[in-house]
Amino acid sequence: MHSTEIHTYLHRFFTENDCEILHGNEHYLTVQLTIDMDKRIMNRPFYWRYIESVNEIPNPAQLTLITDMKQLQNGMKGEVIHLGSPRLHQLFQVTKEMGQFVKLYERVGANNEQQILTPWVGVNYKVSFTSHQTKEILYSIGINLMTGAVVKEFQETIGMRDLSDQSSEQVFHLPFIITPVRALDRLDAVITKVIEGEDLTWVEEAEKRWRKDQAVLDYFYEGQEPKPECYEMEKRAMEERFKPRITVDVVNGGLFYLK
């Protein structure tokens, strides 16, 4: 997930949750949190308990989130956000809690001509490559429910569009040929092929490291038959640490009607 994709995600996340973007550019955002969002992500329950008990005026926090530190100067202070950072992981979790699937419509200009919107399904996947180290990559993929055309980096495609949960007037929504359920099956097949195309040399390296450490363990307990319980425990722990695993999680997704 590139810094521009993360920036787009952050901007949409906060604006859709009614958090005002106070200022920023393509490299950072300063956000005024709502009371609800402060309670969700700032981890200060005692503050809110006190404010509510004495009926004082609340003061939700402001956050400055930096998505490209290299482009910023003058010593700006804030949280650096990247794939794998605790704050971004937290926002992914909040997204799940608040609803993974949305239905949005692109706004159209006010005129007397009927506008046509085409249905798309878009899904953001988080893929974790795990062994003794972990790498996470976010993929955003969309599929046209009329033609079956697939677009990668779909989040960027919709990021600059004006979307609403209410359809505009004088709009005709094309009926989909591919059902959303079938579209999700196709996207799962696409993400599988994308993963297969990734550099998987880390799997060989993890297995090589695993065999090396296993040989050391076997040498240490050589001649002991049967092997003691501590040997089996260390062997299982080694397998848990080095065994390569690829997990795919759906961060969120939606049905989008676009021009």
Side-chain angles (χ1 to χ4, degrees):
M1 189 180 191
H2 302 299
S3 61
T4 53
E5 294 175 299
I6 294 175
H7 188 89
T8 299
Y9 173 81
L10 294 175
H11 194 283
R12 181 167 294 280
F13 174 88
F14 286 111
T15 54
E16 289 186 357
N17 286 286
D18 300 319
C19 298
E20 182 183 0
I21 308 297
L22 299 177
H23 48 83
N25 57 27
E26 64 270 27
H27 307 305
Y28 83 97
L29 294 172
T30 297
V31 183
Q32 174 62 63
L33 301 181
T34 61
I35 292 175
D36 178 65
M37 191 55 62
D38 187 301
K39 291 180 178 180
R40 287 180 181 273
I41 71 174
M42 295 308 294
N43 191 29
R44 48 179 191 164
F46 296 110
Y47 168 81
W48 286 108
R49 194 174 304 163
Y50 170 77
I51 290 296
E52 292 169 355
S53 66
V54 298
N55 201 29
E56 285 196 9
I57 298 175
N59 183 27
Q62 293 181 7
L63 279 181
T64 295
L65 305 175
I66 302 170
T67 53
D68 192 347
M69 194 70 182
K70 296 178 182 178
Q71 301 296 327
L72 296 177
Q73 299 177 354
N74 302 323
M76 172 173 285
K77 295 182 179 180
E79 293 185 47
V80 179
I81 306 297
H82 56 82
L83 192 62
S85 64
R87 180 68 74 188
L88 187 59
H89 177 73
Q90 181 192 44
L91 297 184
F92 286 162
Q93 290 300 116
V94 171
T95 299
K96 287 185 177 182
E97 293 170 4
M98 299 180 69
Q100 286 184 290
F101 203 83
V102 298
K103 185 177 183 180
L104 297 174
Y105 305 85
E106 185 170 3
R107 296 183 191 273
V108 299
N111 55 53
N112 294 325
E113 296 183 3
Q114 188 177 58
Q115 302 288 317
I116 296 176
L117 297 183
T118 301
W120 291 74
V121 163
V123 177
N124 291 327
Y125 297 93
K126 184 180 72 171
V127 181
S128 301
F129 302 88
T130 306
S131 59
H132 58 295
Q133 295 179 324
T134 298
K135 179 176 73 171
E136 295 180 339
I137 303 178
L138 192 68
Y139 299 93
S140 184
I141 307 175
I143 182 170
N144 187 313
L145 299 187
M146 295 294 296
T147 66
V150 172
V151 172
K152 297 178 181 178
E153 299 183 355
F154 185 69
Q155 186 68 37
E156 285 192 355
T157 300
I158 64 173
M160 302 307 294
R161 296 175 184 253
D162 186 8
L163 302 177
S164 170
D165 59 359
Q166 300 293 325
S167 178
S168 304
E169 296 182 359
Q170 297 296 323
V171 168
F172 177 72
H173 305 125
L174 289 176
F176 40 75
I177 296 175
I178 303 169
T179 66
V181 172
R182 180 57 181 155
L184 292 174
D185 289 338
R186 292 195 184 186
L187 290 181
D188 286 346
V190 171
I191 194 64
T192 298
K193 288 185 178 180
V194 170
I195 293 171
E196 291 172 349
E198 287 288 335
D199 181 6
L200 299 180
T201 55
W202 65 276
V203 174
E204 298 175 2
E205 293 172 357
E207 291 177 342
K208 182 178 179 180
R209 177 78 177 271
W210 185 4
R211 289 193 297 269
K212 181 179 178 180
D213 283 21
Q214 181 65 52
V216 172
L217 181 65
D218 291 340
Y219 177 79
F220 185 78
Y221 288 95
E222 186 176 3
Q224 299 186 39
E225 295 295 342
K227 294 289 191 292
E229 183 179 353
C230 57
Y231 168 85
E232 298 298 335
M233 292 176 61
E234 291 185 53
K235 184 178 180 180
R236 287 194 296 269
M238 195 177 299
E239 179 179 1
E240 179 65 24
R241 181 185 180 194
F242 289 109
K243 185 176 181 180
R245 299 179 299 278
I246 299 176
T247 57
V248 180
D249 295 309
V250 173
V251 177
N252 56 13
L255 176 62
F256 303 89
Y257 284 89
L258 307 176
K259 291 189 288 186

